[in-house]
Amino acid sequence: MLMLIRDNIPHFPPLHINDDQYEFSRQFLLFDEVRKMGYGELKIRSYDVQTHRARVEDLERRCEVGPSKRVVLFTDTMGDPICRIRNSPVYKMLIAELGSEVVGVIQGSIKLATVHKPPKNLARLGYVLGLRIAPLHRRKGIGLELVLELEKWFIANDVDYSYMATEKDNEASVNLFVKKLGYAKFRTPAILVNPVDRRALRLSPKTEVAKLKIEEAEFLYRKLMTSTEFFPDDIGSILRNRLSLGTWVAYQRGESGDGFGSDGKFPSSWAMLSVWNSGELFKLRLGKAPLSCLIFSKISRLIDKIFPCFKLSAIPDFFSPFGFYFMYGLHLEGPSSGKLVGDLCQFVHNMATKTRDCKVIVTEVGGKEMLRLHNIPYWKSLSCPEDLWCIKAMKNEENTILQLPKTPPTTTSLFVDPREV
């Protein structure tokens, strides 16, 4: 087990900043954060399931997940703190300890994916996620130390870029990554969340939905989406994972035969997406919401139970742990493809009604421009219209990293890896 013991003044990595004044300010901030810690020796270790699992689960219970100005979600990892990264090709979890108390955790994963930069489009990407700091130990530099240690692991594994995602209004996270660690704001995709009604929805009789074989889906993704930002090179492994429920295409009835797209011919309009059962990994629970929301939720379910003939949509019970489906790999072509996306979403909803604890369907698309193109149903109160992705070069490629956030997306889509949800 790797064990790194921090001194009172940590070793700072060399900073490659042309502005001397900014460099001095940044060094001072790093030093000041650690100096304020004042709780003895901070130890950063690799996660060990036997030693740390119970204490990490306790930390998760004490940490809120979600934007404080809206609803707050709690996660239930079902006894596996590294469940969110376990399906990634390479992953690591670090633990921060003060004495016998676990005061912080962070997770990271590494993959090969598309990043549009010369002279090549493939890069090794390190994803930072799951940063948790105990409420009583925040603003003491612990999160800073955990990220720096994880970045060392990225560098040792030849990572080109490190990236992370956070809520756009999460000031603490933005300050840490952008102002102190030098990450650049990259993209602002939208996270869309839609509740699952227990009743099946009626699909248009003019639309046909077909499930693709894994080989067919991989062929189409590689043919059509390899230029999509963050498209994973190991897409085949994702599609073959037990949590990937399948890939479906929707098109006008009668416009396609067997072997969809295998001959290079496609319907005039069509749409495609895949579904990942995230509820098999961890559960969610609504931890904070207005009293009116709780009352309305209970009343709607009561009315639905007493008067089913009204066919009113009852609000699911979000206050008990629940699972969710994640839709990924969205691709569409043709003038009527937006409507076909809506049909696919209805189809996935009907799938979810057959999964006992699946209460929401989630997807993430490449920003507000995607919302104008698609008929993806979602609840505004549960969704995040502008998630914030930030990126940082791990190989001192300052010029390239400064250009990336300013470069408009080459496509309107952004591939969100379901293993990183």
Side-chain angles (χ1 to χ4, degrees):
M1 179 175 64
L2 175 65
M3 177 174 139
L4 297 172
I5 302 178
R6 289 302 191 194
D7 297 326
N8 290 330
I9 301 178
H11 169 71
F12 299 111
L15 298 175
H16 303 277
I17 305 174
N18 294 327
D19 190 332
D20 294 336
Q21 184 177 3
Y22 179 74
E23 180 180 3
F24 172 80
S25 299
R26 185 180 176 197
Q27 290 278 13
F28 176 81
L29 285 171
L30 291 172
F31 172 80
D32 191 56
E33 289 284 356
V34 179
R35 179 184 59 80
K36 290 178 181 177
M37 199 170 299
Y39 282 83
E41 201 168 50
L42 177 68
K43 299 178 182 179
I44 298 181
R45 311 171 186 260
S46 290
Y47 170 77
D48 178 77
V49 62
Q50 298 297 329
T51 305
H52 300 123
R53 184 174 68 177
R55 287 185 287 164
V56 170
E57 288 181 334
D58 177 68
L59 176 64
E60 287 280 355
R61 284 190 291 269
R62 288 182 284 150
C63 294
E64 295 179 346
V65 181
S68 58
K69 294 182 181 179
R70 299 193 299 274
V71 297
V72 175
L73 295 177
F74 292 89
T75 59
D76 179 0
T77 60
M78 299 188 292
D80 184 11
I82 61 172
C83 60
R84 292 181 64 193
I85 55 175
R86 186 176 292 282
N87 290 284
S88 298
V90 184
Y91 59 85
K92 192 179 190 67
M93 184 175 187
L94 295 174
I95 308 296
E97 293 178 309
L98 286 175
S100 61
E101 182 184 2
V102 172
V103 296
V105 298
I106 195 170
Q107 302 178 37
S109 61
I110 299 173
K111 67 181 179 183
L112 189 65
T114 300
V115 173
H116 297 288
K117 69 178 187 70
K120 58 181 180 179
N121 285 336
L122 279 179
R124 285 179 65 82
L125 300 180
Y127 182 50
V128 181
L129 72 160
L131 178 59
R132 307 277 189 270
I133 306 298
L136 294 179
H137 295 280
R138 292 173 183 171
R139 300 186 182 277
K140 298 169 185 173
I142 297 174
L144 178 71
E145 289 293 289
L146 281 169
V147 177
L148 289 173
E149 206 60 55
L150 187 65
E151 287 182 351
K152 289 182 181 179
W153 179 67
F154 285 160
I155 294 171
N157 284 272
D158 198 33
V159 166
D160 297 294
Y161 296 100
S162 170
Y163 73 104
M164 52 78 67
T166 187
E167 295 85 14
K168 191 176 181 179
D169 58 359
N170 188 334
E171 293 183 5
S173 183
V174 173
N175 287 338
L176 172 62
F177 284 92
V178 176
K179 295 184 179 180
K180 297 179 183 178
L181 289 163
Y183 282 69
K185 296 179 181 180
F186 181 54
R187 298 287 181 253
T188 53
I191 301 175
L192 308 179
V193 181
N194 195 51
V196 175
D197 189 2
R198 67 180 183 87
R199 296 185 183 88
L201 303 175
R202 293 188 62 181
L203 274 67
S204 169
K206 298 180 180 180
T207 300
E208 187 166 343
V209 176
K211 185 176 183 179
L212 300 178
K213 297 178 181 178
I214 293 177
E215 294 77 15
E216 293 174 329
E218 181 177 1
F219 171 79
L220 288 179
Y221 276 129
R222 292 195 182 279
K223 177 182 177 64
L224 302 170
M225 296 191 71
T226 51
S227 62
T228 301
E229 288 182 322
F230 285 48
F231 179 80
D233 191 55
D234 64 337
I235 182 65
S237 297
I238 297 175
L239 296 173
R240 289 174 175 82
N241 191 291
R242 66 179 182 84
L243 298 175
S244 192
L245 302 181
T247 302
W248 287 266
V249 290
Y251 48 88
Q252 295 295 320
R253 189 171 296 278
E255 283 198 11
S256 180
D258 296 334
F260 183 90
S262 59
D263 57 356
K265 297 180 180 180
F266 296 93
S268 58
S269 294
W270 63 282
M272 173 176 67
L273 59 76
S274 300
V275 181
W276 183 273
N277 187 6
S278 298
E280 288 293 315
L281 288 178
F282 62 94
K283 307 297 183 184
L284 300 175
R285 174 174 58 84
L286 192 64
K288 185 176 74 173
L291 179 61
S292 58
C293 179
L294 176 61
I295 294 174
F296 184 69
S297 174
K298 290 183 178 295
I299 290 176
S300 69
R301 292 197 301 274
L302 181 62
I303 293 176
D304 179 65
K305 184 177 181 179
I306 298 176
F307 303 106
C309 58
F310 289 171
K311 296 183 179 181
L312 298 175
S313 296
I315 299 176
D317 178 14
F318 292 135
F319 298 91
S320 301
F322 60 89
F324 66 100
Y325 281 175
F326 184 77
M327 300 188 302
Y328 69 98
L330 176 63
H331 182 80
L332 66 165
E333 294 184 8
S336 302
S337 56
K339 180 184 180 303
L340 293 172
V341 169
D343 291 334
L344 278 176
C345 291
Q346 289 184 323
F347 179 83
V348 175
H349 172 276
N350 292 346
M351 286 175 49
T353 61
K354 301 174 184 178
T355 302
R356 183 174 57 87
D357 69 343
C358 182
K359 295 181 181 178
V360 296
I361 298 170
V362 183
T363 190
E364 190 163 6
V365 295
K368 291 182 178 179
E369 71 279 2
M370 295 290 280
L371 300 183
R372 294 193 295 267
L373 296 175
H374 308 339
N375 295 324
I376 301 176
Y378 67 97
W379 270 20
K380 186 176 180 180
S381 59
L382 295 176
S383 303
C384 177
E386 285 189 308
D387 199 28
L388 177 62
W389 287 27
C390 300
I391 193 168
K392 177 182 178 180
M394 293 283 99
K395 294 182 176 179
N396 299 326
E397 300 176 4
E398 291 90 350
N399 293 334
T400 302
I401 202 65
L402 289 174
Q403 293 171 4
L404 279 174
K406 299 177 183 178
T407 304
T410 54
T411 66
T412 55
S413 57
L414 175 73
F415 196 100
V416 181
D417 195 325
R419 299 170 298 187
E420 299 173 352
V421 174

